[in-house]
Amino acid sequence: MLCEEIMKISTCLCSLGCALLSLILAPTAAWSADREFRAGAFAQPISPTKFPAPVNGNMKGAFATSIHDPMHARCLALHDGKTEIVFCIVDACAIPRDVCDRTRELASQQTGIPADNILISATHTHSAAALTPLFQSAPDPDFVDALPERLAAGIARAHAQLEPAEIGWGQGSDPSQVFNRRWLVKPGEAYENPFGGKTDRARMNPGYQNPTVSRSFGRVDPAVAVLAVRSAADKRPLALFANYSLHYVGGWPAISADYFAAFAAEIGQRLHADDGRYANKPAFVGAMSNGTSGDINNVNFGGPPPGPRQPGEQIQVVARSVAEAALQAYGKIQFKSHVPLDVLAGELELEVRKPSADELQQARDLLEKTPKDSDGQYGSMPAIYARETVLLEAYPERVSVKLQVLRIGDLSVAAIPSEVFVDVGLDLKKRTPFAQHFTISLANGYNGYLPTAEHHQYGGYETWRARSSYLEVDAAAKITLRLIELLNALEKRKPQ
Ligand SMILES: [Zn+2]
């Protein structure tokens, strides 16, 4: 009897114990499943197939008749068990808002990832198939129409390749490849801008050792931010997405993804990411997103012109130099098995700098009396900008600009649909509540250059009203304020 009682009690106790244990373990299991960090990456080919292919990036519409190196959309999906975010870095000069929105919609339908959790940006290569009308270049509508499906397929593939992963980030520095391209005009050396004015005190790309300018505006951001994931199982590198504030390099008259793709290949080689050991595994994906380079290029106008170069030579020089800085940062990364992910997005209404009725009439008059070149395009800057003035008449009085901030552990990323000046990027790095920050420009749409109000006062190419520069003078200050609000809200928000 007694022993039966004892047996009964111990059975109850052990089932109680088991119940308790499963209660303790259950959340952990749920916690660990919920907390399993995964990553997947894929480089989606997106090169044009129809030639000649219109190319963005010049004052005159240019066409590529061949491919030097292919265009890709480099996609990285990150999942913290609850939240999934995606980076989609596209080899393009600029991507219009409607293409980004359509892509996000399709990708969200295919993967279940909330559309606002997807960041799509252009690298700003100036030798890729055009996606939006810029100056006298106009895209092939068939190429543009087909792109959202292709980009969404790349995002879906990265999502499908999610695997248990570890993540880390860091920052290197390469001051050798970035130069502020805006120079201060010496008093008495005013030059005429395309609107006939002589009040610009800044001159972009003035030429080597130009005696009419005194100094460059100087500020650059040499930071090379690195975000890397590796397989939790075999530590193989899955992807390395970097960010550097350099406009582009250029140099190929054919389709080319510029130094952004050369960097991706270079960093993959240096990480031995695709050597034979991982033959049957998804390929490593390297990527370079464009930081805040609205006024930054790869040309030192303070020095003498460089000697003769082979086409594409400088692209390799920059890719190797920046890859070295990225590799050093990679070497110091503390990989983590789990970090919280989070996203906040918002819209900001901004005014458009519309031409006045007089300016419109002047522009029409000028175009009327300006013959086009034999290629059917305008060759003079006044005519090119007069054409922009007329085209801006069709623009709305205000535009809604999409802003997005992402959290990856204590790293924050801001996405801005503009060619953002370096001062804006450096200011965001100073004011973010997170430990590390980088900004991706030309993201989620294209609203032209984003100079600070101070730079608007100095004038220069990036401020000249056109479809590549039409946001109100205070746009940079308003965008920065809104992003800081979003970053603070993100920081305070407990990750889901
Ligand atoms: Zn640009």
Side-chain angles (χ1 to χ4, degrees):
M1 287 303 291
L2 181 58
C3 58
E4 276 167 18
E5 288 304 316
I6 295 170
M7 285 295 291
K8 244 193 244 145
I9 294 167
S10 60
T11 325
C12 304
L13 283 175
C14 106
S15 46
L16 184 63
C18 298
L20 273 176
L21 202 61
S22 59
L23 267 178
I24 296 162
L25 286 177
T28 321
W31 185 83
S32 60
D34 277 0
R35 288 190 42 85
E36 182 176 54
F37 194 88
R38 294 176 295 152
F42 183 70
Q44 169 78 9
I46 57 165
S47 295
T49 52
K50 207 167 51 174
F51 292 92
V55 166
N56 270 149
N58 310 291
M59 287 290 167
K60 275 193 162 186
F63 296 84
T65 54
S66 64
I67 295 178
H68 172 268
D69 55 282
M71 296 165 60
H72 287 89
R74 294 176 173 82
C75 308
L76 173 62
L78 302 173
H79 203 309
D80 71 359
K82 289 272 185 216
T83 300
E84 184 170 0
I85 64 174
V86 170
F87 293 89
C88 179
I89 313 298
V90 183
D91 293 324
C93 187
I95 311 178
R97 170 88 189 246
D98 57 343
V99 170
C100 295
D101 290 351
R102 179 74 186 129
T103 299
R104 262 194 294 271
E105 197 188 319
L106 290 169
S108 189
Q109 284 162 6
Q110 292 168 30
T111 63
I113 304 167
D116 272 348
N117 288 24
I118 299 171
L119 184 160
I120 302 168
S121 78
T123 60
H124 209 43
T125 167
H126 280 44
S127 43
L131 293 178
T132 190
L134 272 177
F135 289 107
Q136 299 181 92
S137 63
D140 167 4
D142 299 339
F143 181 74
V144 178
D145 291 347
L147 195 68
E149 292 273 355
R150 300 170 87 181
L151 297 181
I155 293 168
R157 183 72 178 273
H159 168 78
Q161 290 180 179
L162 286 169
E163 62 177 280
E166 297 172 344
I167 187 167
W169 51 90
Q171 186 171 295
S173 177
D174 185 355
S176 69
Q177 302 302 329
V178 282
F179 301 91
N180 196 300
R181 68 183 194 177
R182 289 166 57 85
W183 286 65
L184 198 61
V185 176
K186 284 180 183 167
E189 297 285 1
Y191 68 100
E192 189 165 317
N193 68 28
F195 306 99
K198 281 196 163 192
T199 55
D200 298 70
R201 290 177 293 144
R203 188 165 195 166
M204 177 198 79
N205 296 351
Y208 294 100
Q209 299 174 318
N210 180 329
T212 69
V213 297
S214 56
R215 62 174 176 78
S216 149
F217 276 80
R219 295 188 82 187
V220 298
D221 182 354
V224 180
V226 168
L227 174 66
V229 286
R230 65 184 188 184
S231 158
D234 58 12
K235 312 299 180 202
R236 100 181 170 277
L238 297 177
L240 186 151
F241 276 43
N243 178 271
Y244 190 48
S245 296
L246 172 57
H247 219 68
Y248 72 106
V249 177
W252 285 111
I255 293 286
S256 168
D258 205 291
Y259 98 97
F260 308 96
F263 168 87
E266 183 71 24
I267 200 69
Q269 275 160 25
R270 293 188 185 215
L271 292 174
H272 308 291
D274 284 331
D275 66 16
R277 286 175 291 166
Y278 311 121
N280 55 2
K281 304 273 181 165
F284 166 85
V285 179
M288 173 59 79
S289 60
N290 206 312
T292 50
S293 66
D295 47 346
I296 308 297
N297 70 9
N298 183 237
V299 183
N300 177 13
F301 289 111
R309 285 172 177 154
Q310 295 303 311
E313 181 185 332
Q314 185 61 11
I315 283 175
Q316 293 306 326
V317 168
V318 176
R320 283 195 292 269
S321 179
V322 180
E324 182 54 38
L327 202 65
Q328 284 173 17
Y330 183 85
K332 298 182 193 124
I333 287 178
Q334 305 286 326
F335 280 93
K336 301 175 173 65
S337 59
H338 188 276
V339 295
L341 304 174
D342 205 357
V343 181
L344 273 177
E347 297 284 338
L348 181 65
E349 282 252 321
L350 291 168
E351 279 174 32
V352 171
R353 285 181 283 138
K354 299 271 290 186
S356 67
D358 285 354
E359 288 168 331
L360 265 174
Q361 194 50 53
Q362 279 170 24
R364 290 204 174 94
D365 296 347
L366 189 147
L367 291 175
E368 217 147 273
K369 60 178 188 264
T370 307
K372 290 181 176 176
D373 294 353
S374 57
D375 57 8
Q377 303 186 62
Y378 293 108
S380 77
M381 288 291 270
I384 290 170
Y385 275 85
R387 178 175 174 274
E388 290 297 314
T389 297
V390 172
L391 290 165
L392 270 173
E393 191 195 8
Y395 272 46
E397 297 296 326
R398 306 170 65 80
V399 288
S400 181
V401 170
K402 184 178 185 69
L403 301 176
Q404 185 188 38
V405 292
L406 296 87
R407 165 195 201 138
I408 299 166
D410 63 3
L411 167 70
S412 61
V413 179
I416 306 176
S418 271
E419 303 192 46
V420 183
F421 268 41
V422 72
D423 293 351
V424 175
L426 292 168
D427 190 31
L428 284 169
K429 283 183 177 183
K430 229 177 15 202
R431 296 169 63 183
T432 179
F434 290 86
Q436 188 187 328
H437 176 89
F438 63 84
T439 297
I440 297 182
S441 286
L442 298 139
N444 304 321
Y446 182 71
N447 296 105
Y449 278 99
L450 191 67
T452 60
E454 186 204 5
H455 274 286
H456 269 290
Q457 301 313 315
Y458 280 99
Y461 163 74
E462 297 88 350
T463 69
W464 295 341
R465 188 192 54 227
R467 290 169 301 167
S468 59
S469 182
Y470 59 80
L471 292 177
E472 60 177 273
V473 168
D474 296 325
K478 291 180 179 178
I479 285 176
T480 299
L481 194 63
R482 189 80 176 90
L483 285 171
I484 295 297
E485 284 168 6
L486 288 169
L487 286 166
N488 285 329
L490 195 62
E491 198 266 339
K492 289 192 180 55
R493 198 160 90 150
K494 189 165 174 337
Q496 293 163 30

